[in-house]
Amino acid sequence: MYVMPLSLSRSIPLAIMLLLAATANAQQRVGVNAAVNADATGTPPNGAARRLVIGENVVYNERIQTTTVGQTQVLFLDQSTMTVGPNSDVTIDQFVFNPAAGTGTMALTATKGVLRLVGGTLTKQEAPLSVRTTIATIALRGGVMVADVHEGNSLDVVFLFGKELTVTGRNGVSQKITQPGFAISVPGAGASPSQPFRAPPGVLNGMLARLDGRPRGNGGATRVPTDATVASSGVSDTISGNLTVSVQQATAQAQTAQPQLTSTNPATTSQTAAGNTAPQVIDCSSNPAGCSNATTVGTTTSGQPVGGAPVTPSGPVQVTYAGLAKGNGGPLGFTDQSPNNRSPFRNGVLQNGVFTATLDNGLIVSFPVAPGTNTVQGTATPTPGSTETGGPFTATTFLSADKTFLYLNGTDSSGKPIFGFAGIPVNQSFFQPTSTPQFYQFSLQPDAALQTAIPFVPAQFGGNTPNAQVSPLLLAANANNQFGAFNPTLNPTANGGQRWLQSNIAFNGAGASQTSVFTVNTGDFFTSSDTGNVAGAGGVRGSFLPSGARTPTRLGSSVATVPDGNGNNLFGGNTIQGFVLDQNNYDTNLNFNQQLASAVPLGQPATNYAFNNPAVAAGTPAIGSRTSQVTSGFFGGVMYPFVPGSGNAAPYVIQGATGVVTSPANNRVQAIFGGGDPFTSSTSGVSGMTLSFGSVSGRSFARDTFIDDTRYAALESPSNPSTIISSSGTTTTFPTTPGGTFTPRLGMVTSGVVNNALPNGVTPCVCQYLQWGYWTGELDTPNAAQTAAARIDRAHINTWLAGIPTAAADINTLQGSSFVGNYAGHVVGSVFNNGASYTAAGGFNGVYNFGTNTGTATISNFDGRTVSGTVSGSGGIYAGTIAVPGANGFVQGQFFGPMAAETGGNFGIRTTAGTPYIASGIFAAKR
């Protein structure tokens, strides 16, 4: 190649020099296409696009493009190689090489796609190989790298071997890697590159999979390329003699190097903290059959690297799995969380249909596993010096179709429940902001120890109650927000917009023999302060009534994603395929803490337990309308008071008004229920009560989640206090501190989450303009010294509704035409009948004359009763009495939607003579 001497170039006018350079460079041969899979095209300067074929020259300033199935590999004259994957767009901007001196420069532009560069002679010189992207510029010195350009949105770069790799953002900020197996991410144009982090296995494995050659691809060549064809192209022992060896070296160094956890922008590094390891390379030359499912890095027959060319492998790239195993389970779950029974690992291998891992407690666990669900026999063998006994075990296994997430539920040789999970962390690109909200759905799987159909609940506290409605776990991630970026210490300005909800409800039987259970779970994602990885946490609030003759048992716990041996919590490829939830928690500074769940019968000691539920991806959920709304309505129910030292007091009715605010912009919701005891405040001691759920601003502490207009849930508010006003006028304001001794424990959910479940087989109103649902909770009033509860007020399964009130103009129109509306729907409420507690449902019918503002309301077949009464009102609100022999009864309601399309309200009944009976709940109906 001829390079113009500098002294001569200075004597030539600049315009002529540029013209000469362009003409000469357009014809320079810089390399050949060594391997091509259709469809890949090259476009020379001033030329037409042409199909790339094996052995054809590539010229200076040539643009290389591939389709969804296209791949190509370019061998440069300095013996560098560039492998380009599908959906890629790369231009060779500059290639100047003096073979005699071994000097020159090389520059590329990558607009999108994935490429691997194996540096040749030029990359060993002072001037590095340069790759420009729309996000940042990459400079490689003497090595091997893989880059993924996400078409203007973000950039991921992994350094496999060599001297160093530098990434410089468009804002001028640079980060440098010298440790093989580390990576840098740039979340967008104008953003700073992240500090180097140990490359997650899923990231590199996903890149290599897109670069691997596919069988029978000839790229249009007359002769199908062979190993000898590629070997004769001139790739030599330029880097390490074998690309596989380079990857092995990168892996070894990545496993021993310590990642850098501090960052000026933790939002960009939240998913790349301690313990993420590069893929492990296993030599299968002695057992090729054992590597049939492995991802391979190709070599020629002479042992020289050819990147992703479709050639015979000398050794595969085998991804390692990290995970965690639990043992010594029992009827109350995996309550023993000591290191021997909660043992992480980071070296699991799935090979030839068998998974093997060495746990930190010294057991080597091995069992067969295949995609889907299977029953298997496995073994646990102690390593020398281990105190564990090991032995055979029987288990049910699950492996996702892409093999990125697996779990095991089983029993060991002594009959004790065991559990284990392993996975590949989700690709880093998953955490990047998206332009639209994203929604995910997961199915919670049974606990290996509890063996209950209802997540988070042991059998002795209702976990196998028949007729359960177990909702999927729904996750909403808002737009333009880094997934899991929030951390009050590392990144206090980051928003937290990824939230989940899940709920369970079951009614079995009717009347005094009814058993019922109800739980609400909300959570969100953040950056763990312990590991720097994305984790999730929240809370479970619930109640269990074992029979009508008993008082409610409060169920409560934190809930947290379970980290693997490397501190990763979410597993999958380009999306989340699975994770595990247990009863541990993260404190307010997002440090991990171990704890147990609790079941507390009213006035009795708590029983501690543990739960362990895998969450498996279950497709994309259907999402309804998502609107910002301020709605109002009613609530009702029965409360169970307890005074330590005095015992249980008589249950009382609680009823009043509701206000609900939804905020789809940040997937949040808040609600306030305010009311009191309408019948017996002088004896119940409660004249007023305010219950506060969730919040739409400030830090949420994972206490609320909005999915769409019909599905949302909230726990006790972290910012709005709840209160009780005693019959003597004393107001107790409860703290909002998460986890505080006297912080309320509350939960509410829309019926849409639990499939509009009603007891007794009653058909619910399919209402459009109002939502109804269930709530539970407890308020512990402290004594004067703030050392213990002086009084406990507990709910079981109570009800609420809220909607968009009918506009005044519509009410006036209906009044002016003396319109008579006929409404039909359902009623559901809580009952305390002569010492027995249960939930009942029935029908509701209403007739209302808007001209006279009068009407009738009938509750039919509610707990075997049909009662009716007259109502009157104005402005779309009405109230009245219902006739119950020997009892006081009331109903109050409102109209919702355009032209009073729907109506809803609450009701209460209390006998004044004879058998003690109280009931309270809500009704919902439509025209």
Side-chain angles (χ1 to χ4, degrees):
M1 167 187 155
Y2 175 75
V3 177
M4 182 179 298
L6 182 59
S7 59
L8 179 58
S9 68
R10 286 175 178 166
S11 63
I12 302 176
L14 178 60
I16 297 176
M17 176 179 163
L18 293 175
L19 179 60
L20 289 174
T23 303
N25 288 334
Q27 299 174 359
Q28 289 176 359
R29 175 179 179 269
V30 298
V32 297
N33 296 301
V36 180
N37 277 345
D39 286 323
T41 62
T43 306
N46 302 319
R50 58 203 172 102
R51 177 69 60 84
L52 296 183
V53 296
I54 297 294
E56 187 170 359
N57 290 351
V58 179
V59 299
Y60 179 94
N61 211 24
E62 179 158 6
R63 181 180 182 184
I64 298 171
Q65 296 173 290
T66 59
T67 67
T68 55
V69 295
Q71 294 167 304
T72 189
Q73 183 183 26
V74 177
L75 306 181
F76 292 90
L77 296 180
D78 76 325
Q79 300 169 18
S80 299
T81 66
M82 175 180 69
T83 307
V84 180
N87 278 326
S88 298
D89 190 339
V90 180
T91 300
I92 303 171
D93 295 320
Q94 185 178 27
F95 186 89
V96 179
F97 178 53
N98 185 333
T103 59
T105 58
M106 181 177 179
L108 311 170
T109 294
T111 304
K112 66 175 181 176
V114 61
L115 70 154
R116 174 172 53 210
L117 290 170
V118 179
T121 302
L122 288 182
T123 64
K124 291 188 174 184
Q125 309 307 314
E126 290 303 315
L129 185 156
S130 173
V131 181
R132 294 188 299 174
T133 75
T134 57
I135 308 300
T137 298
I138 309 165
L140 175 68
R141 293 184 185 273
V144 182
M145 58 159 273
V146 183
D148 195 352
V149 184
H150 302 285
E151 198 165 3
N153 293 324
S154 61
L155 171 68
D156 296 319
V157 185
V158 181
F159 183 50
L160 294 181
F161 178 82
K163 296 179 180 179
E164 66 181 41
L165 181 146
T166 302
V167 178
T168 303
R170 294 177 63 182
N171 61 0
V173 176
S174 296
Q175 293 286 356
K176 181 184 296 184
I177 305 176
T178 57
Q179 290 276 12
F182 276 61
I184 288 175
S185 173
V186 187
S192 297
S194 69
Q195 291 195 9
F197 56 87
R198 189 174 294 162
V203 173
L204 181 56
N205 190 49
M207 293 180 181
L208 293 176
R210 292 156 63 190
L211 291 167
D212 286 338
R214 291 185 293 276
R216 295 179 299 278
N218 63 7
T222 305
R223 291 186 304 164
V224 176
T226 64
D227 294 346
T229 306
V230 177
S232 66
S233 61
V235 178
S236 68
D237 193 11
T238 307
I239 296 297
S240 63
N242 191 309
L243 182 56
T244 304
V245 176
S246 296
V247 177
Q248 286 175 326
Q249 293 170 350
T251 303
Q253 294 186 55
Q255 289 172 338
T256 58
Q258 295 299 315
Q260 303 177 45
L261 298 181
T262 59
S263 173
T264 56
N265 184 10
T268 64
T269 59
S270 60
Q271 68 282 8
T272 59
N276 285 343
T277 57
Q280 177 186 10
V281 176
I282 296 176
D283 182 6
C284 294
S285 57
S286 60
N287 182 23
C291 299
S292 59
N293 294 327
T295 302
T296 60
V297 174
T299 61
T300 66
T301 53
S302 61
Q304 307 305 328
V306 296
V311 296
T312 302
S314 64
V317 175
Q318 177 72 52
V319 175
T320 59
Y321 291 76
L324 183 139
K326 297 183 180 183
N328 197 30
L332 293 175
F334 295 101
T335 55
D336 185 347
Q337 300 192 81
S338 61
N340 281 351
N341 294 306
R342 186 184 175 94
S343 185
F345 61 88
R346 56 201 57 81
N347 60 357
V349 175
L350 174 57
Q351 186 174 350
N352 221 21
V354 176
F355 184 84
T356 304
T358 301
L359 311 184
D360 283 3
N361 66 7
L363 286 177
I364 301 175
V365 178
S366 181
F367 56 90
V369 65
T373 302
N374 298 278
T375 301
V376 303
Q377 302 290 322
T379 59
T381 306
T383 57
S386 171
T387 59
E388 296 293 308
T389 57
F393 60 83
T394 302
T396 298
T397 62
F398 169 83
L399 177 65
S400 62
D402 64 357
K403 302 181 181 179
T404 60
F405 178 67
L406 67 89
Y407 71 84
L408 171 151
N409 282 339
T411 54
D412 62 18
S413 56
S414 66
K416 290 280 191 179
I418 58 174
F419 169 81
F421 79 91
I424 306 300
V426 293
N427 295 343
Q428 187 178 2
S429 59
F430 172 81
F431 298 101
Q432 303 306 313
T434 58
S435 58
T436 58
Q438 304 297 308
F439 301 93
Y440 308 90
Q441 180 172 259
F442 302 89
S443 173
L444 291 182
Q445 305 301 304
D447 184 312
L450 300 182
Q451 290 295 308
T452 53
I454 300 176
F456 314 135
V457 182
Q460 70 188 76
F461 297 111
N464 284 319
T465 303
N467 308 314
Q469 289 292 333
V470 177
S471 85
L473 186 147
L474 298 173
L475 165 59
N478 58 345
N480 305 313
N481 190 271
Q482 177 88 4
F483 193 104
F486 175 76
N487 185 289
T489 302
L490 298 177
N491 195 6
T493 61
N495 294 320
Q498 304 82 39
R499 327 179 77 77
W500 82 70
L501 66 77
Q502 196 275 333
S503 185
N504 312 295
I505 197 166
F507 303 102
N508 184 48
S513 63
Q514 184 184 83
T515 298
S516 54
V517 64
F518 170 51
T519 66
V520 182
N521 166 224
T522 62
D524 62 16
F525 291 92
F526 49 84
T527 301
S528 165
S529 296
D530 295 305
T531 66
N533 286 338
V534 174
V540 175
R541 305 289 180 262
S543 182
F544 166 58
L545 195 62
S547 72
R550 304 278 292 275
T551 53
T553 293
R554 172 173 57 82
L555 305 175
S557 179
S558 294
V559 60
T561 55
V562 181
D564 67 11
N566 290 328
N568 294 301
N569 296 265
L570 305 176
F571 307 96
N574 294 322
T575 189
I576 303 173
Q577 295 294 345
F579 53 92
V580 179
L581 295 174
D582 71 10
Q583 75 292 330
N584 291 303
N585 79 340
Y586 284 80
D587 62 22
T588 56
N589 292 321
L590 302 184
N591 293 298
F592 178 78
N593 291 310
Q594 288 189 348
Q595 69 165 38
L596 295 175
S598 62
V600 188
L602 189 61
Q604 299 180 34
T607 298
N608 291 327
Y609 68 95
F611 53 78
N612 187 87
N613 294 101
V616 175
T620 302
I623 301 299
S625 60
R626 287 166 49 86
T627 55
S628 298
Q629 294 183 351
V630 178
T631 59
S632 59
F634 305 84
F635 77 98
V638 172
M639 299 295 289
Y640 297 82
F642 176 84
V643 178
S646 300
N648 295 331
Y652 61 92
V653 164
I654 187 75
Q655 62 85 35
T658 65
V660 180
V661 179
T662 59
S663 177
N666 56 3
N667 301 320
R668 297 181 64 173
V669 61
Q670 73 177 31
I672 296 179
F673 299 174
D677 177 357
F679 296 126
T680 59
S681 61
S682 61
T683 56
S684 68
V686 175
S687 64
M689 182 179 294
T690 300
L691 303 172
S692 297
F693 303 81
S695 61
V696 293
S697 62
R699 186 172 174 184
S700 76
F701 292 97
R703 294 299 185 257
D704 51 83
T705 299
F706 173 84
I707 299 296
D708 58 26
D709 291 346
T710 65
R711 291 176 293 182
Y712 48 82
L715 309 186
E716 64 274 3
S717 175
S719 55
N720 303 316
S722 296
T723 64
I724 283 183
I725 303 175
S726 70
S727 55
S728 64
T730 301
T731 299
T732 300
T733 301
F734 295 91
T736 57
T737 306
T741 302
F742 300 107
T743 300
R745 303 171 182 90
L746 306 174
M748 58 87 74
V749 68
T750 57
S751 62
V753 175
V754 289
N755 199 30
N756 296 314
L758 285 173
N760 310 336
V762 173
T763 300
C765 171
V766 183
C767 298
Q768 297 184 53
Y769 305 104
L770 63 84
Q771 304 301 323
W772 66 273
Y774 297 100
W775 67 274
T776 188
E778 177 176 305
L779 299 176
D780 294 352
T781 303
N783 60 18
Q786 301 282 312
T787 57
R791 173 187 171 117
I792 296 171
D793 289 87
R794 178 177 294 177
H796 177 46
I797 304 178
N798 289 334
T799 50
W800 65 273
L801 70 83
I804 304 172
T806 300
D810 285 359
I811 295 294
N812 291 336
T813 299
L814 295 171
Q815 185 176 13
S817 63
S818 296
F819 180 80
V820 176
N822 290 274
Y823 296 86
H826 74 272
V827 61
V828 56
S830 303
V831 175
F832 181 75
N833 181 2
N834 197 26
S837 301
Y838 47 90
T839 304
F844 177 86
N845 292 94
V847 179
Y848 195 80
N849 186 323
F850 287 88
T852 62
N853 280 319
T854 60
T856 60
T858 300
I859 296 173
S860 59
N861 197 28
F862 174 81
D863 193 24
R865 301 168 181 257
T866 297
V867 295
S868 62
T870 59
V871 298
S872 62
S874 65
I877 299 175
Y878 56 87
T881 59
I882 49 178
V884 183
N888 294 328
F890 71 87
V891 61
Q892 55 188 358
Q894 186 172 5
F895 296 104
F896 299 95
M899 302 304 292
E902 297 169 357
T903 189
N906 61 11
F907 71 93
I909 300 172
R910 174 183 175 266
T911 56
T912 56
T915 302
Y917 184 95
I918 60 173
S920 178
I922 60 95
F923 62 89
K926 64 180 181 179
R927 284 200 279 119

